[in-house]
Amino acid sequence: MSDESEFVDDDFGDDPELAARLAGIDDAESEQRADALRQGLSDYELEDDDEDILGGLEDEDGEYRPQPALPVLAVVGRPNVGKSALVNRILGRREAVVQDTPGVTRDRVSYKAHWNTTSFTLVDTGGWEPDAKGIAHSVAMQAEVAIDLADGILFVVDSTVGATATDEQVVKLLRGTSKPVIVVANKVDDIRHESDASALWNLGLGQPWPVSALHGRGVADLLDHVLTVLPKESAIAKPEPGGPRRVALLGRPNVGKSSLLNKAAGSERVVVNELAGTTRDPVDELVDIAGKSWRFVDTAGIRRRVHMQQGADFYASLRTTAALEKAEVAVVLLDVSEPISEQDVRIIDLVLESGRALVLAFNKWDLLDDDRRRYLEREIEQDLAHVAWAPRVNISATTGRHIEKLVPALEVALESWDQRIPTGKFNAFLAELVAAHPHPVRGGKQPRILFGTQASTRPPTFVLFTSGFLDPQYRRFIQRRLREIYGFEGSPIVINMRVRERRGKKK
């Protein structure tokens, strides 16, 4: 009889014996076990990219070799020119929301795309303002962010309409970049409309590529050309070798981000004003804290969801997202004099979604009295339980009190973000864990973990090859045990599953 109730509750106690059991398994034995499990995978139907994950991580001497960052291709253009339809066509599946209404896509969304034997990251841009008067600026702003964060750009124009004033605004930006820009003349559904595409030579961005995202016409030729201009490895995602680590300062308006940056930099680098939301653009600043250099990015306060924002706040949110994507670790400031808000939690979740390391800085600590302290601890337990692993630092940005404590917190978080568990040790961990706490039987079947490997760092990402779907609770259970044994303080952990069937088994 299956135990349907097991692992329903996320709150399991520690397993102190697990660490002792793992300590008793030496490296040679763990590697031997992992090799046997790896060979056992040959009985299962694997896909091409499975082999990439299994074979591309370690050299023959066992040294970890990071996988190269995939080149990033951004799709930009004004609303309703067919960007999302083109993204779906390139992906070969319906992923992006398509609707005959300008501005459906609100945020930039990334997908992993393949063409022939090459993989790349495809970014569908959105964030368009709902009111017509601000739309031209919004389009240009989104293009600017895309230029910043991409290795190549597809600029989509509606060939049936031609280049509009909004398109011309984007063209000015695109002419100033050294990155490859490809003009895509969309809605060329048949040969009669080819001349409409030719008119786009006048944009001064080179050859326009006529396509029909709706019917697929010309998309293959476009992608063949894309692969000739994209780099093999992303120049955007590469860390600066030996350079200062990049820190994004995040938080809702008026929480003290600019004050913290000024205090760390030792000068009035950023305008500080009691009026919430004074900062509009991120400001990069090299700062020295406790003898260590860091590159801090002060970001405009995040307010409400992007599609609810107007004017400067709308652009500030785009800037904040861009700053976070360029950072390695985020310091989220929380104002202890006020209750933890939904906005605070949303900002933290934004960091988790980005996969960056995380440090929580509780600001204005000098203003805290005993009553507020008790309430704060309760709020932290209730609202921040999902990031209990993030280092906490209590500071005062205006006085500089305890700012130096940010350094060990940042170092711990980044070390966890970079942490690598050898494949042998990881599989030994999984074997011991499953032996003590097997996955519950579901529908008469018990899914097994066939093999596991760490596919990447930054953040630590693990891939489990399984014989069936693992419950989300069980995956969270594995995450908690990983933290108990290996730490990962300050870093999110990603666990992906690949369910595979035995060869010859009918699906």
Side-chain angles (χ1 to χ4, degrees):
M1 183 176 174
S2 68
D3 182 4
E4 294 289 342
S5 65
E6 192 178 357
F7 294 109
V8 170
D9 186 352
D10 268 351
D11 188 17
F12 306 105
D14 291 349
D15 183 359
E17 294 180 3
L18 177 60
R21 292 196 302 273
L22 289 172
I25 303 172
D26 62 25
D27 290 352
E29 183 183 350
S30 63
E31 291 295 337
Q32 196 173 11
R33 282 193 193 182
D35 287 345
L37 291 171
R38 171 71 181 87
Q39 288 170 15
L41 278 182
S42 60
D43 296 335
Y44 289 80
E45 296 281 358
L46 298 182
E47 298 178 2
D48 290 344
D49 56 345
D50 290 343
E51 297 294 346
D52 293 340
I53 287 173
L54 292 166
L57 296 175
E58 292 181 4
D59 291 316
E60 291 179 3
D61 59 3
E63 283 295 308
Y64 176 61
R65 184 174 71 250
Q67 290 185 313
L70 295 178
V72 179
L73 180 68
V75 183
V76 304
R78 63 181 178 81
N80 220 26
V81 293
K83 296 186 300 297
S84 295
L86 180 61
V87 167
N88 287 337
R89 180 62 62 181
I90 292 172
L91 294 174
R93 61 187 186 275
R94 191 179 174 86
E95 287 274 7
V97 176
V98 178
Q99 187 174 319
D100 192 22
T101 306
V104 171
T105 305
R106 301 278 179 205
D107 307 297
R108 285 171 305 111
V109 184
S110 299
Y111 306 99
K112 187 175 180 182
H114 307 273
W115 182 246
N116 293 336
T117 58
T118 302
S119 298
F120 55 94
T121 298
L122 189 65
V123 178
D124 183 17
T125 60
W128 317 120
E129 281 257 36
D131 63 314
K133 64 183 179 183
I135 206 156
H137 195 177
S138 300
V139 174
M141 181 69 203
Q142 187 69 314
E144 194 175 321
V145 173
I147 290 168
D148 246 10
L149 299 174
D151 298 291
I153 297 142
L154 293 184
F155 175 41
V156 185
V157 181
D158 183 342
S159 65
T160 63
V161 175
T164 66
T166 301
D167 291 323
E168 290 289 352
Q169 275 206 329
V170 178
V171 167
K172 288 176 187 174
L173 285 171
L174 296 176
R175 282 187 188 135
T177 180
S178 58
K179 296 176 183 179
V181 177
I182 301 168
V183 178
V184 181
N186 193 24
K187 305 185 184 179
V188 180
D189 296 337
D190 55 51
I191 199 165
R192 290 173 300 167
H193 295 95
E194 294 277 355
S195 58
D196 296 337
S198 299
L200 298 177
W201 274 101
N202 295 333
L203 293 176
L205 293 171
Q207 175 187 346
W209 291 78
V211 305
S212 170
L214 187 64
H215 303 297
R217 185 175 186 268
V219 173
D221 291 339
L222 170 67
L223 290 175
D224 286 342
H225 177 63
V226 164
L227 297 190
T228 66
V229 299
L230 273 185
K232 299 297 181 192
E233 183 177 348
S234 177
I236 306 303
K238 279 184 179 176
E240 301 167 16
R245 306 304 291 262
R246 300 184 298 285
V247 183
L249 298 181
L250 298 181
R252 55 191 168 93
N254 214 27
V255 78
K257 298 180 300 297
S258 297
S259 296
L260 175 58
L261 180 56
N262 284 336
K263 186 58 69 172
S267 64
E268 286 294 313
R269 177 68 174 82
V270 184
V271 174
V272 178
N273 194 304
E274 285 301 313
L275 181 65
T278 306
T279 307
R280 294 301 179 202
D281 295 329
V283 181
D284 280 17
E285 180 74 12
L286 275 172
V287 301
D288 188 275
I289 306 175
K292 292 272 182 144
S293 290
W294 306 88
R295 184 176 294 281
F296 270 34
V297 179
D298 178 43
T299 54
I302 303 173
R303 293 199 174 190
R304 296 170 182 81
R305 295 187 180 279
V306 168
H307 68 272
M308 296 296 290
Q309 297 174 4
Q310 298 294 322
D313 291 329
F314 170 82
Y315 308 127
S317 181
L318 290 181
R319 288 286 198 190
T320 298
T321 305
L324 183 56
E325 290 189 21
K326 285 184 172 180
E328 297 170 280
V329 57
V331 174
V332 176
L333 271 74
L334 300 123
D335 183 342
V336 298
S337 66
E338 298 178 11
I340 293 173
S341 69
E342 185 183 340
Q343 283 176 298
D344 293 321
V345 175
R346 188 167 63 81
I347 291 164
I348 290 169
D349 289 343
L350 184 68
V351 177
L352 299 184
E353 288 166 19
S354 74
R356 299 307 182 264
L358 172 66
V359 172
L360 300 177
F362 291 86
N363 192 24
K364 307 183 185 179
W365 197 260
D366 51 326
L367 305 179
L368 200 63
D369 58 32
D370 289 341
D371 284 345
R372 175 69 193 125
R373 190 190 302 260
R374 282 194 296 274
Y375 282 111
L376 178 63
E377 286 301 329
R378 198 176 307 159
E379 289 165 16
I380 290 170
E381 280 182 27
Q382 289 177 350
D383 299 329
L384 304 183
H386 63 308
V387 287
W389 42 263
R392 288 169 49 183
V393 182
N394 304 326
I395 64 169
S396 170
T398 50
T399 66
R401 179 175 180 263
H402 290 167
I403 283 181
E404 73 282 352
K405 290 188 176 180
L406 278 173
V407 171
L410 289 167
E411 288 176 336
V412 163
L414 285 165
E415 188 177 338
S416 296
W417 200 55
D418 290 328
Q419 187 173 346
R420 158 78 178 154
I421 301 177
T423 302
K425 286 187 181 297
F426 182 53
N427 280 279
F429 160 82
L430 290 172
E432 293 296 328
L433 190 69
V434 171
H437 306 279
H439 191 288
V441 175
R442 298 290 187 233
K445 295 181 180 179
Q446 186 174 45
R448 290 190 304 120
I449 298 176
L450 308 169
F451 186 76
T453 189
Q454 184 171 350
S456 63
T457 58
R458 303 184 162 202
T461 302
F462 299 88
V463 176
L464 304 179
F465 291 86
T466 66
S467 63
F469 186 80
L470 302 183
D471 287 355
Q473 296 96 325
Y474 197 78
R475 297 202 300 276
R476 286 195 291 271
F477 168 66
I478 294 171
Q479 282 180 322
R480 283 197 306 282
R481 291 294 190 258
L482 273 170
R483 291 192 185 282
E484 287 171 17
I485 301 300
Y486 297 106
F488 290 112
E489 184 183 358
S491 175
I493 296 174
V494 180
I495 294 183
N496 294 326
M497 257 186 335
R498 298 203 163 202
V499 179
R500 297 296 177 253
E501 294 194 338
R502 282 191 179 274
R503 292 185 185 279
K505 183 179 177 181
K506 289 184 179 178
K507 295 187 178 180

